[in-house]
Each structure stands twice: as structure tokens, then as C-alpha cells.
Amino acid sequence: MLPAAPITKTQRVRIDLGDRSYDIDIGADLIGRSETFADVPRASTGVIVTNEVVAPLYLSTLRGALQSRHERVLNVVLPDGESHKQWLTLQTIFDHLLEAGCDRKTVLYALGGGVVGDMTGFAAACYMRGVSFVQVPTTLLAQVDSSVGGKTGINHPMGKNMIGAFHQPLKVVCDLDVLRSLPDREFSAGMAEIIKYGPIADMAFLDWIEDNIDALMLRDPMSLAHAVRRSCEIKAQVVGADERESGVRAVLNFGHTFGHAIEAGMGYGAWLHGEAVGCGMVMAARLSQALGLVDAAFVTRLNTLVKRAGLPVVAPVLDPSRNADRYLELMRVDKKAEAGEIRFVLIDPPGHASLRPASDAVVADVIARSCQPA
Amino acid sequence: MLPAAPITKTQRVRIDLGDRSYDIDIGADLIGRSETFADVPRASTGVIVTNEVVAPLYLSTLRGALQSRHERVLNVVLPDGESHKQWLTLQTIFDHLLEAGCDRKTVLYALGGGVVGDMTGFAAACYMRGVSFVQVPTTLLAQVDSSVGGKTGINHPMGKNMIGAFHQPLKVVCDLDVLRSLPDREFSAGMAEIIKYGPIADMAFLDWIEDNIDALMLRDPMSLAHAVRRSCEIKAQVVGADERESGVRAVLNFGHTFGHAIEAGMGYGAWLHGEAVGCGMVMAARLSQALGLVDAAFVTRLNTLVKRAGLPVVAPVLDPSRNADRYLELMRVDKKAEAGEIRFVLIDPPGHASLRPASDAVVADVIARSCQPA
């Protein structure tokens, strides 16, 4: 078992991207302290973008910490949910910024989960062709996933995250205290991405998660601090080698090809992203097994851990009359597809992932088996 | 007088931006030849984005040249005009790309003027977080302005180009033959940006333009080739020193602060961008004079040349009851403004520009004088 660093001290993960480098701070009681934001430029205006669920919980706390950094701190409160991750909501942010006369030095703060982070980041990428932003992720998923990588964007009726930009934050603040208010279902969704880092990069980390899954599910701060830090480190390592996702970075999408099909097929918001990824990982592991890359024990092990994290492991039927075809259709518009060929992130061997195509027949069989309760 | 290079040979201006470097090819009969596009990657899909005015003239010519580069060449024909430079039109491009199953390797071709170029470039910047695009500018303005710098974007009801990205093209093809079909008014609009490069960077070039203004207005290819090349070279020099417009690059906006106010105040499309810039340059020269930076002779000289290029030199009254206030109000939301302070690009001395604030009273006086026929 790896030692978890003590929670009292804020931990820092450096994301090394040349002149776009930034730090992720991980610790307790961060968002209410002005020192947390000491390295953010003293722009005249700071704008907190959040949603109607998070605003009552943390908006005034963050506002308080930012008062000393900016002459005025404005806020934009968006509706909650993945269904609002679209142009009209983005337009709301632009309207606010322009009405308030925000200039190019304005700093945006994304206070919320992945949806708020992706939209705020994309707004920052596009407003006056680019302003700075700080990520303050309030969900476990956002802390371990969207806080590293600079991916921002919105959905299109024909596909998730189809419109977006790579735009790195000035810094990321992962306050572990805010995870206490997270609903169980959302907490589990975050666990999916933490578990993900094991099979694709670090089986010792998977061992550690298995050993600490009970403490993690009880939201023990010391266990969480380690899980968040190690997840960010692994993601940083992968992203550092491939900032613009031309190759190796795609391994981070383990479980996402099936997962995106589930999300799109069920209608965005029906399944949480992390739930779809959790189930998608089990499906991708099964596909890896079907291609002879991993053994049945590995699939069972992953299935068990995903289940213990409170995540679904039985895939939904998207269309009773042509279920596999529907999955395949949805996966073919995935951004990783090339000229219509789906490239799956497969485990080969455990602790390492690679991109490969697979025949429709084999994939269809995996889908059929995954839709049946084990 | 500088020698104009012979038109028979295609001239190339290299835009040096590290791994985002690209070439601008300037010459006759370029868009119909497949050799022109020999260095574009052989992606399975190429998509020509153009508008309903340009399509009947050059779409089939460009399609022909691209057939050998891509397995399929698709096209998206947008409505014409600045008023369509907005999200809904951009959405049309995304819809086409997704419906056609375009992947990340897809290459977009912007065939048209600045509006098509800005929107296609922004679509390329955002589609799946970034695909490649080639600029094929069909207006003089687009050839000497938007072909260098990587600025892309759309308008917002509250301001021009407020939403956008920096996204460099793979290459730019300036075919001088296509300028023959350009309406006089649009040709003049392009001349505004050519003239601009003199006062801000190269007074010898201004001398050359004055000596050759008649040939240029007759669209003499050899004169045009020199004017386009030299304009691109100067812009490249400035942009190379400041890709993201943090400082020195702003000098390229000489005439644009007043110009944007004219465009916004009259309603986008009433004045062409180049017309507003032409008039705006005379206003900015007058402001430079008011601050003691240039003499009256310089203002007269610029005024005369702008007029000979067929451009307006008398500024429009935007609001009879509070004209100067309306101008100032519109200029305060300019992207170059900082915390509400307008920064003007002023000539100081001729051949060099710098950014400075100016008191509202002095600016108001310049506006009042500029709105009266000389």
C-alpha cells in the first residue's frame, strides 16, 4: 500500500507545458482563503462562473477569497446539467462579460463540475480570442479529470464535446472539503475516472484503490488526497507527452468510446459521464479479453471494483431492435474515429493501454454480453 | 519606386511561427491548379466553405484542383455578408461536418473574403477542438489582412469579433486573377489595409503606393503582386513578434478603433470594414496631429491617398444628439480597451505607430471635425 501524504499540507502537482504550465493545488479549506489565489494576476475584474446548485454552497466563500485580487468580482450562474452544455448557455456567459465591459485581462473562475469547467474554459478560450481562467472543480470527477489537459468545449446535438478548444487554466484548485457535499451518485462517477488510471498506466495504483476503496467511498480526506494527486500525476504525465491529443493521450479515453455511446444513446444527462465511463471500462476490458489481450480474471477484477465504487456494470439497451448497430453508429462519430473506423482504447497488458480497431462482429458480441446482468 | 517582381512566377511569403509556420503563395491562376495544394496533407475529406456569391464564380475551379488531394471534396455554401458572421452560420458549418462524418484529419478550405475566412478559421479552430484549414482569400482585403495573423472569429450583437480564436492556417493561396471579379467598392476596401502598412511601418511603401495608385486601381497584376506581397511581409513581421496580440501587434489596428465604432454604429454591413478603416485612419491621423505627433501635411497626404483609393474620408454621424459620446461608448468595448480606457493606435512619427490613450475632449474634437466635409 502506498503511503497517503498527510492532508494538513496542501499538495501541488505541476503540469509542465512550457509557457502554458500551471499548478494543481490539492488540499483542505482552499477556496475560502485568499492565499490560494496569490499567484493569479491582479486583473481589475474576476468573474466566477458557476451553476444554480453550486452557487448557494460555495459562491460567497470563493467571492470572499477573491475580493483582494480584483477590484470587482462578478458572477454568472448557469442552469445545472449536461443538457445545458451547449451554445445558448455559453452565449449567456459572453452576454454577461460584454455587458459588464470585461476586457482581455479579465480572469474567469470555473466553480463547479465538469460542465461548468468545460464551458467556462471554452468561454475563456473564445472571449476576445482568449482570456485567462482558473479551475475550481467541485466534483471528484472534475478534480481528477478536467483539471488536467486543457480540454474545453460544448456538446452538439450530434455528439458530445464536438465543439471546443484546448485552453490551459492559470491554475487548478482542488478543495477536498467541497467533496463532502457531493451526492453519492456523483461521487461514484468521479471514482470511475480514478479507477481508470490503474489499468491504463499504473497497476500499483489499482492495487491501492482496491485496498482503500472503503475509505475512499467514506470520503476519507487522506485517502482522497492521495487518489486525486496520483490521478492528476498520471494524467499530467500522459498529457505532457501529447498536449493536443495526436496520439498517446487517447489512452485516457479508456472506457469513453463505449461510454460516449451510452451517454448519447440514452440522452445526455440520463447517465452521468462517470457512470457511462465505469460501465464503458468494463466493456472495453471485455473487448480486450475478446482480442486476447487480457485474461478473464482481469475483467472480473475491474468489474468488481467498478461495482464496489457504486457504478453500473450492466450496459443499457439503446435500441431493442438493433442494439449493437446503434452502439456502433454512435461510436463511429466519436472524435477518435478516423474515416469511420472506430479506434478502441484497449488494455494490453494491464497497466498499459493502446488504440486498436476491432471488427464489428467482435464488438457486437461484447455489447450483447455487456447488456445482460452478469 | 521599388521594383515589382514579375507576375509570372508565384511569390511566396513565409510566416514564421515555429511549428505553426506556413506559406502565403501569391500569383496568377493558382486556385485551379492541383500543384498549388501539393503540400496539403492527403486527408480523406476536404471541405470547401464559401458563400453564395463566390460559389458560382470559383467553387468548381477549386473543387477540380482538390479532387486529387482528397477522396471526397464537400462544400458548404453560406449566405453572403457580415451580418451572417455569427453563431447560427457557424453552426451550419458544424452541422455539415458532423452530418458528413468529418473526422479530425478533415481539411477545411475558406474560399471567400474575410467573413468566410474568419468563420471557416473559427470553425476549424473549434471542430473537434481543432482541424486544419487553408485560406483561399478572394478579396483584396482578405489577401492582405486576414491571410496573416491567424485571427478567426464571429461577431456578437455587442461587438465585432468578440468571440474567436487564434488558429493558423496550413497555407494561404492569394490568386490575383480572382481580384478581377471584385466589385469596385470591395476593391477599394482592400486598398485601405494596404495603405495602412505605410504609416505604421514603412514610409517607402507609402511612397510606392502613391506613385502606383493609378495602376493599382486599374488592378494591374504586377502592381497588385507587389502590394499584396509587401503588405503580407509587413504584417508577418509584426505578427511574428507578437502572435497572441499582447502588445506590438496592436499597431496593425491603425484606423480600426474609429473604424469599428463606425461599423458598429452604422450597423454591420452598412459600411464595408475597409471603408470604415480608411476613414478611421484619417481620424487616427488627425488625433495623432492633435497630440502633436505628426504634422498637418501628413494628415492631408493620408487623406488624399485614402480618397484616391475610392474610400470615404468623411466620418458618419452616428447619433445627431450625442455623436461623440456614441463614438466613445462604442470604442470603449473595443478589445484593445483596458478597464474602459481606450488605447488608440497613433502615428508617431510617420512609419511608426504606438498605442496611447487620449482625453475624451480631444477625441470628441477630432470626431466633430471628421464628420464635416473637408
Side-chain angles (χ1 to χ4, degrees):
Chain A
M1 177 178 154
L2 300 180
I7 186 64
T8 43
K9 202 177 161 297
T10 299
Q11 302 184 41
R12 179 164 279 193
V13 177
R14 178 77 177 166
I15 307 298
D16 208 346
L17 294 168
D19 60 358
R20 290 181 302 285
S21 298
Y22 64 93
D23 294 319
I24 303 175
D25 289 353
I26 303 159
D29 184 27
L30 291 180
I31 65 168
R33 285 188 284 141
S34 57
E35 310 89 86
T36 304
F37 304 95
D39 43 4
V40 173
R42 284 191 176 278
S44 62
T45 309
V47 180
I48 303 171
V49 182
T50 186
N51 71 28
E52 57 203 10
V53 172
V54 176
L57 298 172
Y58 306 114
L59 179 55
S60 68
T61 310
L62 181 58
R63 279 186 70 88
L66 296 179
Q67 299 290 4
S68 61
R69 303 301 310 162
H70 308 292
E71 285 161 41
R72 56 173 187 169
V73 179
L74 310 175
N75 47 261
V76 183
V77 180
L78 307 175
D80 178 48
E82 179 86 27
S83 66
H84 296 285
K85 188 172 153 181
Q86 45 133 317
W87 174 257
L88 274 179
T89 319
L90 194 68
Q91 189 72 27
T92 307
I93 304 177
F94 294 139
D95 292 347
H96 272 83
L97 297 176
L98 282 164
E99 276 158 24
C102 292
D103 62 25
R104 284 181 175 171
K105 301 278 167 81
T106 302
V107 179
L108 306 192
Y109 294 82
L111 175 69
V115 171
V116 166
D118 283 5
M119 279 201 293
T120 308
F122 190 39
C126 297
Y127 186 67
M128 294 191 175
R129 297 198 189 90
V131 297
S132 297
F133 83 115
V134 174
Q135 292 264 27
V136 188
T138 59
T139 67
L140 183 57
L141 177 64
Q143 291 191 353
V144 299
D145 184 31
S146 35
S147 61
V148 189
K151 283 192 181 181
T152 71
I154 53 175
N155 298 329
H156 182 280
M158 290 183 67
K160 199 169 145 68
N161 295 320
M162 285 295 165
I163 316 300
F166 286 96
H167 191 56
Q168 304 296 340
L170 277 182
K171 80 172 293 165
V172 179
V173 176
C174 294
D175 189 326
L176 301 168
D177 288 343
V178 305
L179 300 180
R180 282 196 223 127
S181 60
L182 210 59
D184 287 346
R185 210 177 140 196
E186 290 214 40
F187 186 85
S188 289
M191 284 303 301
E193 297 280 352
I194 291 176
I195 292 169
K196 178 188 81 177
Y197 293 109
I200 66 166
D202 182 358
M203 288 302 281
F205 184 48
L206 193 73
D207 295 340
W208 181 90
I209 300 170
E210 285 175 330
D211 291 343
N212 293 272
I213 187 70
D214 293 331
L216 285 166
M217 295 311 288
L218 291 170
R219 309 188 194 185
D220 166 57
M222 279 181 61
S223 307
L224 278 177
H226 178 72
V228 172
R229 191 191 62 186
R230 187 69 195 122
S231 296
C232 290
E233 279 170 357
I234 294 173
K235 182 157 186 183
Q237 215 174 341
V238 176
V239 170
D242 179 21
E243 190 184 348
R244 309 278 308 192
E245 197 164 28
S246 41
V248 60
R249 179 170 172 166
V251 302
L252 294 171
N253 286 319
F254 175 55
H256 284 59
T257 307
F258 287 106
H260 285 167
I262 293 173
E263 282 185 273
M266 296 298 285
Y268 290 119
W271 280 48
L272 296 179
H273 175 69
E275 291 172 334
V277 167
C279 186
M281 287 195 293
V282 177
M283 295 172 84
R286 233 169 241 141
L287 182 57
S288 306
Q289 188 203 348
L291 297 175
L293 308 174
V294 298
D295 58 18
F298 173 80
V299 178
T300 305
R301 187 181 167 188
L302 190 62
N303 188 84
T304 303
L305 185 59
V306 167
K307 214 191 259 178
R308 285 181 73 193
L311 293 160
V313 290
V314 180
V317 173
L318 300 180
D319 184 334
S321 62
R322 48 188 284 284
N323 191 42
D325 283 350
R326 181 65 183 140
Y327 266 94
L328 286 162
E329 187 177 282
L330 288 164
M331 292 192 288
R332 266 188 252 282
V333 297
D334 189 273
K335 288 194 294 306
K336 290 182 299 302
E338 257 180 44
E341 184 182 74
I342 310 163
R343 298 187 303 153
F344 294 93
V345 182
L346 300 176
I347 301 305
D348 170 26
H352 186 263
S354 60
L355 257 76
R356 302 189 181 212
S359 78
D360 285 0
V362 173
V363 176
D365 182 58
V366 166
I367 292 166
R369 284 190 287 127
S370 300
C371 290
Q372 288 165 350
Chain B
M1 177 176 153
L2 301 178
I7 187 65
T8 43
K9 202 178 160 299
T10 299
Q11 302 183 41
R12 176 164 282 193
V13 177
R14 178 74 176 167
I15 307 298
D16 207 345
L17 294 168
D19 61 357
R20 290 179 304 283
S21 298
Y22 63 93
D23 294 319
I24 302 174
D25 288 354
I26 303 159
D29 186 26
L30 292 179
I31 65 168
R33 286 188 284 142
S34 57
E35 310 90 86
T36 304
F37 304 95
D39 42 6
V40 174
R42 283 190 177 279
S44 62
T45 308
V47 180
I48 302 171
V49 182
T50 186
N51 70 29
E52 57 203 9
V53 172
V54 176
L57 298 172
Y58 306 114
L59 179 54
S60 68
T61 310
L62 181 58
R63 279 188 69 88
L66 296 180
Q67 300 289 5
S68 61
R69 303 301 311 162
H70 308 290
E71 283 161 42
R72 58 175 184 167
V73 179
L74 310 175
N75 45 261
V76 183
V77 181
L78 306 175
D80 179 45
E82 178 87 27
S83 65
H84 297 285
K85 188 171 153 181
Q86 45 134 314
W87 174 257
L88 274 178
T89 320
L90 193 69
Q91 190 71 26
T92 308
I93 304 176
F94 294 140
D95 292 347
H96 272 84
L97 297 176
L98 282 164
E99 276 158 24
C102 292
D103 62 26
R104 284 182 176 172
K105 300 277 167 83
T106 301
V107 179
L108 305 192
Y109 294 81
L111 175 68
V115 171
V116 166
D118 284 4
M119 279 200 294
T120 309
F122 190 40
C126 298
Y127 186 66
M128 295 190 174
R129 298 200 190 90
V131 298
S132 297
F133 82 115
V134 174
Q135 291 266 25
V136 188
T138 59
T139 66
L140 184 56
L141 177 64
Q143 291 191 352
V144 298
D145 184 32
S146 35
S147 61
V148 187
K151 283 192 182 181
T152 71
I154 55 175
N155 298 330
H156 182 281
M158 289 184 66
K160 201 171 145 67
N161 295 318
M162 285 295 165
I163 316 300
F166 286 95
H167 191 57
Q168 305 297 339
L170 277 181
K171 79 174 293 170
V172 179
V173 177
C174 295
D175 189 326
L176 301 168
D177 288 345
V178 304
L179 301 180
R180 282 197 223 124
S181 60
L182 209 58
D184 287 345
R185 212 180 139 194
E186 290 215 38
F187 186 85
S188 289
M191 284 301 302
E193 297 279 352
I194 291 176
I195 292 169
K196 178 188 81 177
Y197 294 108
I200 66 166
D202 183 357
M203 287 302 282
F205 183 47
L206 193 73
D207 295 341
W208 181 90
I209 300 169
E210 285 175 330
D211 291 344
N212 293 272
I213 187 71
D214 293 331
L216 286 164
M217 295 311 289
L218 291 170
R219 310 189 193 185
D220 166 57
M222 279 179 60
S223 307
L224 278 177
H226 177 71
V228 172
R229 191 192 62 187
R230 188 67 195 122
S231 296
C232 290
E233 279 170 358
I234 294 173
K235 182 157 187 183
Q237 217 173 340
V238 176
V239 170
D242 179 21
E243 190 184 350
R244 309 279 307 195
E245 196 165 25
S246 42
V248 59
R249 180 170 172 166
V251 303
L252 294 170
N253 286 320
F254 176 53
H256 285 60
T257 307
F258 288 107
H260 285 166
I262 293 174
E263 284 185 274
M266 297 295 286
Y268 292 118
W271 281 48
L272 296 179
H273 175 68
E275 292 173 333
V277 167
C279 186
M281 287 195 292
V282 176
M283 295 172 85
R286 231 168 243 143
L287 182 57
S288 306
Q289 187 203 349
L291 298 175
L293 308 173
V294 300
D295 59 19
F298 173 78
V299 178
T300 305
R301 188 182 167 188
L302 190 63
N303 188 82
T304 304
L305 185 59
V306 168
K307 213 191 259 177
R308 286 180 73 192
L311 293 160
V313 290
V314 179
V317 173
L318 300 181
D319 185 333
S321 62
R322 47 188 285 284
N323 192 42
D325 284 350
R326 180 67 183 139
Y327 266 93
L328 286 163
E329 184 178 285
L330 289 163
M331 291 192 289
R332 268 189 250 281
V333 297
D334 189 273
K335 288 195 293 303
K336 289 182 300 302
E338 256 180 46
E341 183 181 74
I342 310 163
R343 298 188 304 153
F344 294 94
V345 182
L346 299 175
I347 301 304
D348 170 28
H352 186 264
S354 61
L355 257 77
R356 300 185 182 216
S359 77
D360 285 1
V362 173
V363 176
D365 182 59
V366 165
I367 292 165
R369 285 190 286 127
S370 299
C371 289
Q372 289 165 350

